[in-house]
Amino acid sequence: MGDQVRAGVIGAGFIGAVHAHAVRAAGAVVTRVAASSPERSAEAARRLGARAPAGTAEELIDADDVDVVHICTPNSLHVPLARRALAAGKAVICEKPLATTRADAADLVAAAGDRVATVPFVYRFYPAVREARARIAAGEAGPLHLLHGCYLQDWQAGGAPAGWRGEATEGGAHRAFADIGVHWCDLVEFTTGHRISRLAARTSGGGTSTTVLFETDGGASGSTVISQTATGRRNALRFSLDGAEAAYGFDQEEPETLHVGGLTENRTVHRGSPALSPSAARYSLLPPGHPQGYQDCFNAFVGDTYSAIAGAVPDGLPTFADGLRAAALVEAVIDAGSSGAWVEVRPA
């Protein structure tokens, strides 16, 4: 591999385009794109600015001009494509869910070994999230006792079709939690250092909505509401992390600020503030008043992944092990919903 990372992107829908943009933002090049047919691959190569199309996903993985494989396909293809890419000696970025079962996710973690293999839990890369994490780690919140929030979307409201996500092999009866609920859980666990240890769950609406109650290994309790039929909520990922001395609130639709609740006053910390910790300031790339958003987070994630390929060890980079953790949480939600009982989350 030369100085410039050469990326192959499998899947050319919305998220494939986000990946391709992030590749270029990282100073790398999209050498190949593979879609669902040779004709669509050719069109996608033109649209995404790739050097050439690949006839199939397998052809892309085996190509000599691809160093890192971005897997942006329907869920059921993640495992076979990631296995093939790892066997070919490539670095891998695989969309979540890493796998539709915990066992398959564990197999991919083992197959990856010490190879760079990441999952885009990109909400970790908001400066406000990193700021909350730094303050909690420094003890400013005191002991955390309540972790709560939601992830609400409305793209399936009003009976809108689910597309491939509604198929049993792709999402099944718990698809909203597997699709976006794991983002909320990853974000809260990453920010607090707590792990959800046991939970109770109810899923409704044919898998479009899930409510979870949980306890953590750090002594906190919490809840989250996950829905893709929440009318008027486009991408409302929100959390509140409540401690004895302070609470931290974040809203992905207003990501430029962190709400800091205190015993005597509440404050709003803006991205770009001189008060930001170094870990948060690292991801604050534009002057205050020039908003950063989702694509910037994705760019930062891909940039950190490529830095890891070059030998760096970026803090907070989500790996296949985090994808396995998400699969363990989905498994627990399924078991809890089926049994009607509290369920222990199996260690990832």
Side-chain angles (χ1 to χ4, degrees), residues 201-266:
R202 293 290 185 275
T203 296
S204 61
T208 62
S209 299
T210 298
T211 302
V212 181
L213 298 175
F214 60 84
E215 297 174 352
T216 77
D217 61 358
S221 60
S223 66
T224 185
V225 177
I226 308 300
S227 179
Q228 292 176 321
T229 55
T231 304
R233 305 297 186 183
R234 305 299 187 239
N235 200 48
L237 189 165
R238 302 169 180 170
F239 67 61
S240 183
L241 313 174
D242 300 354
E245 303 297 330
Y248 301 102
F250 173 74
D251 181 349
Q252 195 275 154
E253 291 186 326
E254 298 181 3
E256 290 288 279
T257 58
L258 176 69
H259 175 81
V260 181
L263 297 175
T264 60
E265 65 175 357
N266 296 335

Side-chain angles (χ1 to χ4, degrees), residues 270-285:
H270 293 268
R271 182 191 60 77
S273 165
L276 284 189
S277 64
S279 59
R282 176 173 181 261
Y283 295 101
S284 182
L285 303 179

